[in-house]
């Protein structure tokens, strides 16, 4: 096992990783920007190294400084968390060539999934269902026309270097195709430095359901069931739950098996997530693979009864997977508490937290790096806490979440707590009848 790990991240996930290190008797090294001097990850790590000024480019994305921090402190491995450098194949490669174990998949696996069109082809070859569309990148307008006619409108144009909803265009008829094709490619070039786009059939109001997978260094891959992440706003997830209220045991089994096939086909090591779009008839299609631990991993931990961060570290250290596929037990829901004002278009609301009271009790979990007197810097994402509840069934989990949200008090800034309280009371949500268009609809019908 490693003796010392550097955590190349901040916020709740840095703290979450530090806690596991302490449990395993591993020394932890925090890195921090000048904006994060007062952060708990700096306070609770065994050592901390300042790696630069507030902008991410100059600190949490500054590869030479992070590698230098690991070398100076004698760390043997780097945990990238999520965001920042977690899916940067170049960073994973540099860690390896510097003699540091990157806690995650190989640089090759990261690259293979980073190009969204290539990832789709890889999955198709592995017999994982994919959405009908172009074979790879489309460069000529005539090809775009031919493919769209063949699969039928509406179609969606996506950037190969995109992901997470960036640079997508929905095209409803042929007259709209030319202008959107050119704009999508131009935007992709500007945003990602790669003009490549691909085309697929546009599915109306799909469900976003993802499967957690884990691979070890010996060719073993397991899945850990699904998370339903359909409650999203502008491609930002707000609520996740496991199991999904939409799929049954048979669909779960098929999706899990497809995810394992997909992960095996790229010799996947460590924690990963295969995202699927699921239509009304429960047909599921590969969308993207995330080659990192995700924000919403706690809902999976609750229903399968395992610490996934601990498992990531153990697998990186060479341990064999001992996890067998098992059905979810109970029901877990996570609400993302962001420093945003839901009554003002979710506008960011950084600043000082003047009052802070956390809910608690049986089945209530909070992952947060915040405290009364903490100043949320404006430089990073707005996640301030994850409130996770666990109960025997979905209804009790929703009731527990509603009660916990009532008690959760954050003063001095705006948060998404009032938004979550509304969702927990919403009849469609309570009935489990929601898809990715859910928030568009409640904003229309719930005008206050
Ligand atoms: C789609 C789609 C419908 N059809 N692809 C959004 C995130 C990006 N990774 C892909 N996304 C979508 N791709 C086809 N062929 C609808 C979406 C989509 C969506 C997906 C998941 C969760 C929320 C969403 C909201 C709008 C659109």
């Amino acid at each position: 096992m490693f003796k010392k790990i550097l955590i190349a991240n901040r916020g709740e996930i840095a703290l979450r990783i530090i806690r596991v290190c302490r449990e395993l008797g591993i020394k932890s090294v925090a890195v921090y920007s000048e904006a994060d001097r007062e952060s708990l990850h700096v306070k609770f790590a065994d050592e901390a190294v300042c790696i630069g000024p507030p902008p991410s480019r100059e600190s949490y994305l500054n590869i030479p400084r992070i590698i230098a921090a690991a070398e100076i402190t004698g760390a043997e491995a780097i945990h990238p968390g999520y965001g920042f450098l977690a899916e940067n194949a170049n960073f994973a490669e540099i860690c390896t060539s510097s003699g540091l174990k990157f806690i995650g998949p190989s640089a090759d696996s990261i690259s293979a999934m980073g190009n969204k069109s290539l990832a789709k082809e890889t999955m198709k070859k592995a017999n994982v269902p994919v959405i009908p569309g172009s074979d790879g990148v489309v460069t000529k307008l005539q090809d775009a026309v031919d493919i769209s006619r063949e699969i039928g409108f509406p179609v969606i144009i996506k950037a190969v270097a995109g992901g997470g909803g960036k640079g997508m265009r929905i095209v409803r008829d042929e007259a709209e195709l030319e202008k959107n094709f050119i704009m999508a490619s131009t935007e992709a070039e500007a945003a990602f430095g790669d003009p490549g786009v691909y085309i697929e059939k546009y599915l109306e109001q799909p469900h976003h359901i993802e499967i957690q997978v884990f691979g070890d260094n010996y060719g073993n891959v397991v899945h850990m069931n699904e998370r339903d992440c359909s409650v999203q706003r502008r491609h930002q997830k707000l609520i996740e739950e496991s199991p999904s209220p939409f799929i049954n045991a048979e669909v779960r089994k098929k999706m899990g098996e497809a995810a394992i096939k997909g992960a095996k086909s790229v010799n996947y090591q460590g924690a990963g997530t295969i995202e699927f779009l699921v239509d009304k008839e429960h047909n599921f299609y590969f969308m993207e693979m995330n080659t990192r631990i995700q924000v919403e991993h706690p809902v999976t931990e609750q229903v399968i009864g395992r610490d996934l961060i601990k498992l990531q570290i153990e697998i990186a250290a060479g341990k064999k997977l001992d996890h067998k596929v098992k059905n979810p037990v109970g029901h877990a829901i996570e609400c993302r508490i962001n420093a945003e004002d839901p009554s003002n278009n979710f506008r960011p609301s950084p600043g000082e937290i003047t009052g802070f009271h956390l809910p608690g009790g049986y089945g209530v979990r909070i992952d947060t790096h915040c405290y009364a007197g903490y100043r949320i810097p404006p430089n990073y994402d707005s996640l301030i806490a994850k409130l996770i509840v666990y109960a025997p069934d979905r209804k009790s989990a929703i009731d527990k979440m509603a009660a916990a949200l009532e008690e959760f008090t954050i003063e001095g800034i705006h948060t998404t707590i009032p938004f979550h309280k509304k969702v927990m009371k919403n009849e469609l949500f309570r009935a489990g009848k929601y898809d990715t268009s859910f928030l568009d609809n409640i904003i229309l019908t719930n005008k206050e």
Side-chain angles (χ1 to χ4, degrees):
M1 184 41 76
F2 308 113
K3 290 190 182 68
K4 197 185 266 191
I5 294 176
L6 180 141
I7 297 114
N9 215 300
R10 63 180 303 281
E12 69 85 19
I13 193 64
L15 203 51
R16 166 94 181 81
I17 299 162
I18 290 166
R19 286 173 176 151
V20 174
C21 286
R22 186 157 287 126
E23 250 181 83
L24 294 173
I26 300 167
K27 295 277 185 230
S28 56
V29 180
V31 292
Y32 63 99
S33 76
E34 284 160 16
D36 278 341
R37 285 190 192 285
E38 306 304 323
S39 284
L40 292 186
H41 76 289
V42 177
K43 185 174 161 65
F44 289 121
D46 293 302
E47 291 169 76
V49 182
C50 182
I51 51 166
S56 304
R57 290 251 146 254
E58 299 173 57
S59 50
Y60 297 105
L61 293 172
N62 188 329
I63 296 176
R65 294 240 179 127
I66 291 167
I67 300 290
E71 285 172 348
I72 289 163
T73 55
E76 296 151 272
I78 298 194
H79 196 306
Y82 53 70
F84 297 120
L85 298 167
E87 292 178 279
N88 184 315
N90 182 43
F91 178 61
E93 187 72 56
I94 292 171
C95 287
T96 307
S97 60
S98 308
L100 297 158
K101 176 70 192 171
F102 175 80
I103 302 176
S106 68
D108 285 345
S109 294
I110 299 174
S111 307
M113 294 298 127
N115 178 314
K116 303 304 164 189
S117 163
L118 185 69
K120 206 179 152 183
E121 282 180 64
T122 306
M123 292 299 158
K124 196 174 168 182
K125 281 198 195 106
N127 279 320
V128 178
V130 300
I131 304 170
S134 60
D135 286 322
V137 179
V138 181
T139 50
K140 295 195 198 71
L141 176 65
Q142 191 54 51
D143 292 340
V145 173
D146 293 345
I147 292 150
S148 303
R149 278 186 190 154
E150 192 185 316
I151 60 180
F153 287 92
V155 299
I156 184 166
I157 309 173
K158 296 180 176 183
V160 292
K166 277 173 275 172
M168 302 186 331
R169 286 188 164 257
I170 300 159
V171 185
R172 300 227 165 247
D173 54 66
E174 200 168 314
E176 301 277 284
L177 189 60
E178 178 168 5
K179 136 184 129 208
N180 279 289
F181 179 71
I182 293 164
M183 283 178 80
S185 183
T186 309
E187 282 170 11
E189 166 85 80
F192 315 109
D194 180 348
V197 295
Y198 63 106
I199 295 180
E200 58 191 28
K201 176 89 189 158
Y202 179 69
L203 307 177
E204 305 279 358
Q205 306 187 347
H207 295 249
H208 171 130
I209 301 178
E210 57 188 30
I211 304 281
Q212 175 73 55
V213 296
F214 253 92
D216 68 13
N217 306 351
Y218 312 96
N220 306 301
V221 176
V222 289
H223 79 80
M224 297 178 180
N225 305 309
E226 81 282 9
R227 296 184 285 260
D228 197 318
C229 305
S230 300
V231 182
Q232 309 201 357
R233 184 182 170 276
R234 301 199 178 159
H235 309 300
Q236 296 294 336
K237 295 170 184 167
L238 283 161
I239 299 173
E240 305 94 350
E241 61 179 312
S242 186
S244 165
F246 185 65
I247 65 168
N248 61 23
E250 189 191 329
V251 178
R252 169 174 307 116
K253 187 161 181 282
K254 283 192 191 147
M255 289 179 75
E257 285 165 0
I260 291 176
K261 273 196 290 186
K264 278 194 174 160
S265 77
V266 289
N267 300 314
Y268 199 80
Q269 297 176 357
T273 297
I274 307 216
E275 295 185 345
F276 292 99
L277 287 181
V278 187
D279 69 17
K280 289 176 185 60
E281 286 81 44
H282 300 95
N283 299 307
F284 60 88
Y285 307 93
F286 170 81
M287 181 166 59
E288 286 174 24
M289 180 169 191
N290 299 318
T291 55
R292 59 166 193 274
I293 191 77
Q294 289 188 255
V295 174
E296 61 272 26
H297 74 275
V299 296
T300 300
E301 297 184 317
Q302 298 301 322
V303 297
I304 65 147
R306 269 200 101 134
D307 183 329
L308 299 191
I309 303 290
K310 187 174 168 190
L311 189 55
Q312 278 190 298
I313 295 172
E314 289 170 341
I315 279 174
K319 204 181 150 201
K320 242 185 173 159
L321 257 181
D322 59 356
H323 191 90
K324 298 277 171 286
V325 172
K326 55 182 172 184
N327 287 323
V329 177
H331 199 97
I333 306 176
E334 170 178 280
C335 286
R336 294 195 190 189
I337 314 300
N338 295 334
E340 292 170 357
D341 182 359
S343 63
N344 226 319
N345 225 356
F346 290 78
R347 179 183 346 159
S349 179
E352 187 179 335
I353 296 177
T354 54
F356 199 62
H357 169 78
L358 299 178
Y362 185 66
V364 177
R365 164 179 175 181
I366 294 156
D367 284 12
T368 183
H369 58 295
C370 293
Y371 55 88
Y374 175 69
R375 273 194 86 78
I376 299 156
N379 313 80
Y380 314 108
D381 75 357
S382 60
L383 182 70
I384 49 176
K386 303 189 299 203
L387 171 56
I388 304 111
V389 297
Y390 179 58
D393 56 76
R394 188 167 187 270
K395 183 188 182 296
S396 345
I398 295 173
D399 291 341
K400 193 186 288 287
M401 181 62 86
L405 288 163
E406 254 346 290
E407 190 184 337
F408 207 156
T409 312
I410 303 181
E411 288 164 339
I413 55 157
H414 293 284
T415 76
T416 49
I417 292 174
F419 162 84
H420 290 300
K421 285 182 184 170
K422 263 197 246 170
V423 177
M424 293 307 130
K425 291 192 186 107
N426 180 279
E427 282 313 317
L428 288 172
F429 181 78
R430 294 188 69 90
K433 295 197 163 85
Y434 66 85
D435 57 45
T436 52
S437 68
F438 174 65
L439 290 189
D440 310 336
N441 300 334
I442 64 165
I443 287 161
L444 287 176
T445 55
N446 241 11
K447 277 244 166 76
E448 281 173 307

